[in-house]
Structure formats: structure tokens, C-alpha cells
Amino acid sequence: MSLTSEKLPKGRYLITGAAGFVGSHMAERLHRLGSEVIALDNLISGTWKNVEALKGKPGFSSLEKDIAQPLKIDGPLTGIFHLACPASPIDYAKFPIETLKTGSLGSHTVLDLAREKKCPILLTSTSEVYGDPLEHPQKEEYWGNVNPIGPRSCYDEAKRYMEAVTMAYKQKHGIATKLVRIFNTYGPRMRAHDGRVVPNFCMQALQNQDITVYGDGQQTRSFCYVDDLVEGIIRIYLCEYGLPINLGNPDEFTVLDFAKMVIERTESHSKIKYVDLPQDDPKLRRPDITKARELLGWSPKTKLSDGLNNVLEYFRTCLP
């Protein structure tokens, strides 16, 4: 069965984390599809500038709110997309408790709201639930290799708890829940200095600075363009399947090869600078997207070369 975002029922949707990178693209897509969007964010890592194009338009409203606190939304909701959570190593190192609260208390908040409004809810998990994987590529059935007390644990365990509480609400209360595990995603509106590989390399190359590669650069990443991800998230929301589904690009690159690609594309004078590999940094990251292909008719369409052009154009606007 093939699903498309155009089949999303028009209605009134709450998006948490809507001022963030992925959340803002989700808000734009739902609004463009003709739905009313309530954009919620506490602005720890997001900014309302990301949804500036929607401000003042009919059917769009914003709410500055910490999702870990009790939440009341007047009127009916057609559905909820829970995207809120700091998602970069810099963020969850700076806000470890807030990250844990978003995954735990925040998930209870939105699940209770979905129960109250009797509406479906999609919650966004992450490839980080697989930790530093011993299985490659990673299937949804893989339980992961996660350090529960390491420097990344606040994010990994927050998302693992979110998945567990989602399944508990589904089983006990019969809520229509959907879960997506997001792999490395890139695109416009990523913060220029959020610590992830795409903005790091792009900003360094554009300024002819040394490109910092952790370890020997042979660890791998798979990059999915944000427009493809948003399409996949909506399709998961529409499908009947209630267990986690991987979304990402199965095309795999070493970090070193990606750094060289960025240098070539920008015609930069940057040199590669090798630095120590952070603790628990995943050495392999590639999604098995068999379920997404079979259940959703989804696979990423944007080539890395094309997506990289778009994101470099955006990061040029972020230069000092």
C-alpha cells in the first residue's frame, strides 16, 4: 500500500517542537496541506524565526510552553505530532535534565492530551535508541547497545523511555499511537553551531577553517534530507502500524568521505583536522528501511549532492 502526505485529513494539529529544525518543516507542510497548526515550543533549542513565514497566516498559531508541564488545549484536535526534544550533542550536554523531562514527562503530557482529545498521536524517536550498534544496518527489532550512564544517555534513555510509555498507553488506553525512529537528517534551518556533522563541516568549509573529524573518520553516517523525512513521518501517522519504523537514508558514507565532499563542493581551502573520538559516539549508523518501503511505499528521493547544495546555500546566510 502506498501512502502520501496529501491523504492527511485536514484538521487541527498540535506540533510540539515546532520552532525547531524538523518541527518547523513539519508545520509548513501541514499548513500547506490545508490544516490548522498549533506550534508549541519552549525555545530551548528552537526559534520562532524558523516559522516566520507562517506568522500571521490564517490557521497558524504559536504557543511558548514547556511540554514537561501540564498542558491544556481548548477545542478539538485532529492529531498530535510530538517532535519536541533537544537533538544535538551540544544541546543535551547543556540541558540533560530538560532532555530527560521532555522524553518522560513531556511524553506523558502529549499522550494524556491525545487520550483526552481522542485523536491519533505520532511520537518521534531516534536512531540513538540503538546506541553504538552491534548490528548493521539497524532493523527495528534490534534492541540496541546503549550506555545508560554515559554522556549521551540523557538523550538515548529519554527516547527509549518515550517508546516504552507510548506502548504502555497504547496497550492500556487504546490510543492510536505511531512511532518513528529518525536517523541523521539535514537541511535548511539546522543551527549553524549545533555540533552535528553537517552544520559543523559546512560552516567550517565555508569559512576555510580546519574541518574537525573525530577519530580516524571511518565511522559512518547516512544522511536523509528533511523534506523526505517529513513525508515519511506523515505517512507513518497515516498507516495502521503501531510499532516503531525507521526513517532515514540507507546510503552510507564515512565521516571522512563526507568531509572531503563538503570541501570539494565549497571549493574550500580547509584541511582535515583529526580530534579524539567522543565517548559512545556511534561507529556505524545506517537504517534498514524495509518496513518503510513495504508499509508506507516510502524511500528517500533527494540525492545527497542535491540536498547538500540546498543546505550550503542556507548556511551561507548564517556566516558572520
Side-chain angles (χ1 to χ4, degrees):
M1 179 180 63
S2 180
L3 300 168
T4 65
S5 58
E6 282 73 19
K7 295 181 181 178
L8 182 74
K10 291 182 175 61
R12 188 170 185 248
Y13 292 90
L14 172 68
I15 303 175
T16 71
F21 162 47
V22 176
S24 64
H25 286 275
M26 178 66 65
E28 282 190 346
R29 180 74 66 91
L30 264 59
H31 192 268
R32 188 165 66 246
L33 290 170
S35 286
E36 180 181 347
V37 172
I38 304 170
L40 183 149
D41 207 293
N42 68 353
L43 305 182
I44 278 185
S45 58
T47 170
W48 293 128
K49 291 181 180 179
N50 286 336
V51 289
E52 193 168 4
L54 295 175
K55 287 185 177 180
K57 289 190 175 182
F60 176 80
S61 60
S62 59
L63 176 62
E64 187 172 337
K65 176 76 176 177
D66 185 349
I67 197 64
Q69 301 298 321
L71 175 66
K72 179 174 176 57
I73 300 291
D74 294 328
L77 287 175
T78 307
I80 300 171
F81 290 87
H82 182 38
L83 280 70
C85 193
S88 80
I90 287 178
D91 287 337
Y92 47 79
K94 186 177 181 180
F95 303 110
I97 295 174
E98 291 87 345
T99 299
L100 284 161
K101 284 185 175 180
T102 299
S104 55
L105 299 176
S107 297
H108 280 279
T109 296
V110 292
L111 286 162
D112 283 333
L113 185 62
R115 185 183 177 201
E116 173 195 340
K117 301 296 183 181
K118 297 180 173 57
C119 69
I121 178 171
L122 178 142
L123 300 94
T124 52
S125 186
T126 171
S127 60
E128 294 294 333
V129 300
Y130 301 122
D132 187 6
L134 304 178
E135 172 183 294
H136 190 70
Q138 293 85 55
K139 297 183 180 68
E140 290 88 349
E141 291 78 14
Y142 178 53
W143 290 357
N145 178 41
V146 177
N147 179 354
I149 57 172
R152 306 170 74 96
S153 63
C154 62
Y155 184 61
D156 301 353
E157 298 296 353
K159 291 297 190 178
R160 288 163 70 92
Y161 179 87
M162 186 199 74
E163 291 193 12
V165 74
T166 297
M167 297 310 299
Y169 270 74
K170 181 181 184 67
Q171 292 158 6
K172 183 170 180 61
H173 299 302
I175 298 174
T177 60
K178 311 296 166 63
L179 281 166
V180 52
R181 288 177 181 160
I182 298 174
F183 281 67
N184 294 76
T185 302
Y186 71 103
R189 298 186 205 135
M190 295 189 85
R191 287 178 303 146
H193 304 289
D194 83 347
R196 286 180 279 192
V197 63
V198 172
N200 272 5
F201 288 4
C202 289
M203 290 298 291
Q204 288 167 343
L206 288 170
Q207 298 175 88
N208 293 307
Q209 299 172 349
D210 288 344
I211 289 187
T212 51
V213 170
Y214 295 127
D216 60 5
Q218 294 307 303
Q219 63 271 36
T220 65
R221 296 294 182 266
S222 306
F223 301 105
C224 182
Y225 192 65
V226 66
D227 289 352
D228 292 330
L229 177 75
V230 167
E231 176 68 25
I233 288 174
I234 295 174
R235 292 190 190 195
I236 290 177
Y237 176 86
L238 291 171
C239 79
E240 296 297 323
Y241 191 76
L243 296 177
I245 298 178
N246 289 337
L247 287 183
N249 195 323
D251 292 341
E252 187 177 15
F253 297 84
T254 68
V255 170
L256 182 58
D257 284 343
F258 180 65
K260 292 176 179 177
M261 185 186 306
V262 172
I263 291 173
E264 180 181 357
R265 190 59 55 89
T266 56
E267 299 181 346
S268 175
H269 300 297
S270 296
K271 306 296 183 183
I272 303 294
K273 179 182 179 181
Y274 296 94
V275 296
D276 291 341
L277 189 70
Q279 182 183 342
D280 300 330
D281 190 59
K283 298 174 185 64
L284 299 171
R285 183 67 87 227
R286 178 188 171 200
D288 183 314
I289 61 168
T290 302
K291 281 188 171 60
R293 287 194 175 110
E294 293 178 350
L295 298 173
L296 314 174
W298 178 90
S299 60
K301 305 299 182 187
T302 307
K303 295 180 180 178
L304 181 58
S305 57
D306 296 330
L308 188 55
N309 285 339
N310 293 340
V311 80
L312 282 169
E313 182 179 348
Y314 170 76
F315 282 128
R316 285 187 178 96
T317 70
C318 301
L319 292 173

